[in-house]
Structures are given as C-alpha cells and as structure tokens.
Amino acid sequence: MITVENLSVRYGGVEALNDVTFSAATGKVTAILGANGAGKTTLLRTITGLEKATSGTITYDERNLLGKRPEDISRMGVGHVPEGRAVITEFTVEENLRLGALASKVNLKDGLAEQYEQFPILGERRRQHASTLSGGERQMLAMARALIAKPKVLLLDEPSLGLAPLVTRSMMDKIAELCAGGELTVLLVEQNAKSALRIAHDAIVLSVGKLVACADATTVANDENLRHYYLGLVK
C-alpha cells in the first residue's frame, strides 16, 4: 500500500496540490482523475521524487518517500511510466528493456523472457529500433521497461494518450491483468475517465490541486456531480 497524507506542492506562488490525502491498496488499480491542471501529473512526480513537496508525507513499505532521490525511490520498488511513451527511439526494443533493468537486481535473461511473455509483440520486435514501433507498441515498451525491474508500485501517466479506442481497451485490459496477481499497486492517471473507471477498483478526483472525492470506482463513475470535475465541467 502507498499512503499520501496532507500532501501539498507549490510552484512559486501557485499551489499545485493542496492537502491531498488518500491510500492506494496493494493488488488494486487506483484511478486518479481530474481536468487538465488538476495536479494529477504533479502527484505522480512528487511520489517518485521528481517534484519537492511543501508539506505532508508519502509512505510506502513503512518508509516516507519524501526527501529521497528518484533513483532511490525506484530501487525501493516504485516504477514510473511518464506521459508520452518516453522510450529511447534510437535504441532497439531489447536495449530499452536492458536499460530498465540496469539499476535492479533482477536476472536479465529471466527479466527479458518475462516481458516478452507478457508482451509477445515486443519479443517479435526485439531487434527493431523503438522508432519503428506503433504508438501502442511504444506504450507497451514503456510499461515493460518499468516492469522488468519488478516494481511493487507502478505509476502510469496517461497510458492511452493518442491511442485508437481498440488499442486503448487492450492497454487497459493489460493493466488490469498486471494487478490480478494481487502483488502490484497501480496508480493510473488517465484523461479517458471511462476507460480508467472500467478497470479501476478505487478512484480519487482532483480539482485545481484539491481532493474532491476518494471512493470505490463504481461510486465515482455513477456520481453525476463528480463527472463535472473529471470531465473539466466544474461549475
């Protein structure tokens, strides 16, 4: 489980997150919803140490993550797939995966085999440069590069961005499958709220940096008032 308590983040005079508190349970997908500028990406970047918090705590495995370096947080078992399918296009598929395994203690041969089993298309493309992959294949590669280090927490920022509806559905199904084993905690930032809520167990809704809801996904999906927030229609 990862627990965020009273988390605030400022950029100069702008408060990007204001006193945010929630927990994401092990073995579940927690969707993080909100309009553009709600603070969703800032939340993920603060968890991974890429942004500094003004106040609050982020606890994982009984340790506070705040103040730790991003590389140390990664070694603790927190994987991050940022928005934009950030793979190295000049590298082959396998070179990208090897890069993901560098800072971990996993057996590289076994790690590669596991990811090729998880994402068979990557096995077929292992010798190809990432620049030749489709958008969906690049997103799979970005996820596999994070997963090869065997994280216990996986943060996903807009994994469906720019993908066709059928590819998006397949991607969401894969995320749900990853959680099915009961050992992985997934925090899913997603503009496509309908897709995220279809696979999520729990959901939080942010609006201009503030937490406006924290409930099971079905409750959030069926609440007409909350839709105004995560569809960007706040009155």
Side-chain angles (χ1 to χ4, degrees):
M1 176 181 287
I2 191 162
T3 302
V4 175
E5 292 183 304
N6 307 118
L7 183 68
S8 295
V9 178
R10 282 184 176 273
Y11 298 133
V14 178
E15 197 158 43
L17 292 174
N18 181 3
D19 201 31
V20 172
T21 296
F22 73 96
S23 293
T26 303
K28 293 186 177 182
V29 176
T30 299
I32 301 172
L33 307 177
N36 288 334
K40 305 184 301 295
T41 293
T42 296
L43 175 58
L44 295 195
R45 288 176 58 85
T46 306
I47 292 172
T48 55
L50 295 171
E51 301 290 352
K52 291 185 178 180
T54 308
S55 60
T57 60
I58 303 172
T59 306
Y60 164 65
D61 196 22
E62 300 183 350
R63 291 176 287 180
N64 187 10
L65 300 184
L66 294 188
K68 290 184 168 53
R69 299 179 302 172
E71 56 268 34
D72 292 332
I73 293 173
S74 176
R75 291 189 187 101
M76 288 169 63
V78 180
H80 185 198
V81 181
E83 180 183 345
R85 299 188 284 277
V87 299
I88 301 176
T89 55
E90 295 85 0
F91 285 8
T92 66
V93 166
E94 188 154 305
E95 287 169 341
N96 270 278
L97 293 178
R98 286 174 176 269
L99 187 64
L102 273 180
S104 70
K105 297 180 180 179
V106 299
N107 179 285
L108 180 59
K109 182 178 179 181
D110 292 344
L112 289 171
E114 184 176 347
Q115 294 313 310
Y116 292 149
E117 181 179 359
Q118 189 76 249
F119 302 97
I121 192 66
L122 298 182
E124 297 174 17
R125 307 271 198 270
R126 69 181 73 185
R127 307 298 182 199
Q128 291 182 215
H129 285 89
S131 60
T132 67
L133 303 180
S134 68
E137 289 165 352
R138 288 192 195 190
Q139 187 61 61
M140 289 179 196
L141 178 56
M143 288 175 58
R145 191 175 65 182
L147 289 167
I148 197 170
K150 293 190 176 301
K152 295 297 183 181
V153 178
L154 183 64
L155 313 182
L156 299 169
D157 196 349
E158 302 282 7
S160 77
L161 185 67
L163 301 184
L166 284 177
V167 180
T168 294
R169 186 175 186 85
S170 176
M171 183 65 61
M172 292 298 169
D173 288 344
K174 177 57 69 174
I175 294 168
E177 181 186 320
L178 290 170
C179 253
E183 297 182 357
L184 183 66
T185 302
V186 174
L187 276 69
L188 171 63
V189 164
E190 184 55 65
Q191 199 69 25
N192 188 333
K194 183 177 180 180
S195 291
L197 290 170
R198 181 176 68 84
I199 67 164
H201 302 86
D202 301 310
I204 70 168
V205 182
L206 297 174
S207 177
V208 200
K210 295 182 179 180
L211 184 74
V212 296
C214 181
D216 64 89
T218 301
T219 297
V220 172
N222 292 329
D223 190 318
E224 292 288 346
N225 292 322
L226 290 178
R227 291 180 189 176
H228 289 291
Y229 289 101
Y230 59 73
L231 295 178
L233 302 172
V234 180
K235 297 179 180 179

